[in-house]
Amino acid sequence: MTEKDKFAALIVDDDEAFRTRLLRAFETRGWEAHGAATGREALIRAREAGPDLAIVDLRMPGESGLDVIKSLREQDATVSIIVLTGYGSIATALEAVRCGADHYLSKPVDVDQILATYEAVRDSAFGDAPPPTTVPSLARVEWEHIQRVLTDCGGNVSQAAKLLGLHRRSLQRKLLKYPPRT
């Protein structure tokens, strides 16, 4: 396979260790991999490389991942964009998709999950997407719903508890827990 035949990936993440690990993993799987720590650097690398896939961290210092998604989409409408974040919720996933992302994954994530998601995104673009093989657990859906309501209430726990029909202390206890795995 020549350099021109390789798929290209752009990894945009301010966490250098994570970005480097993903770069190596993509390269070992035969991809041409490029990394960027900032939104500005990502746009420069995207212009140079013309990636097939862009993996964008949602929270970065300075320009947010949402801004990077919009800019990448304006620059190249054909690139597949997958958003990664350690702070996953339905509200942020919807916002990322509105900005132009094709899919959304919560960290921790490995390259095999990213590549499976990329394949699903590509297949759905051609109209033959397979049905989902997994669904989130009820606990995960509840946690995401609580996060969405809390976001809609501007972080006001008392108001969110009232809307959810919970006592404020009960909601605070739920918020102290880590998000359930899928």
Side-chain angles (χ1 to χ4, degrees), residues 39-175:
R40 178 174 287 158
E41 186 181 353
L43 293 175
I44 292 168
R45 296 251 191 270
R47 254 184 249 115
E48 294 169 353
D52 301 290
L53 170 63
I55 299 135
V56 181
D57 186 24
L58 191 62
R59 290 196 181 181
M60 296 186 297
E63 192 173 17
S64 81
L66 296 175
D67 296 328
V68 174
I69 293 166
K70 288 177 191 173
S71 299
L72 284 172
R73 185 59 69 206
E74 289 170 3
Q75 188 172 315
D76 182 359
T78 64
V79 67
S80 296
I81 302 173
I82 298 175
V83 175
L84 300 182
T85 186
Y87 307 95
S89 72
I90 291 173
T92 54
L94 288 174
E95 186 61 27
V97 170
R98 278 189 211 118
C99 290
D102 293 302
H103 210 283
Y104 184 94
L105 294 173
S106 293
K107 289 180 183 177
V109 65
D110 63 26
V111 74
D112 293 325
Q113 290 170 300
I114 293 169
L115 288 172
T117 302
Y118 173 65
E119 290 298 320
V121 166
R122 279 192 23 202
D123 289 346
S124 68
F126 297 113
D128 55 347
T133 56
T134 61
V135 295
S137 68
L138 187 56
R140 178 67 186 200
V141 172
E142 177 193 35
W143 182 86
E144 289 179 355
H145 178 66
I146 288 170
Q147 294 298 317
R148 183 186 57 80
V149 171
L150 189 61
T151 300
D152 291 347
C153 292
N156 185 327
V157 175
S158 297
Q159 184 182 7
K162 190 176 191 179
L163 289 172
L164 290 166
L166 296 172
H167 191 276
R168 180 184 51 79
R169 289 175 132 180
S170 296
L171 179 56
Q172 286 175 321
R173 279 193 294 276
K174 286 180 179 282
L175 291 171

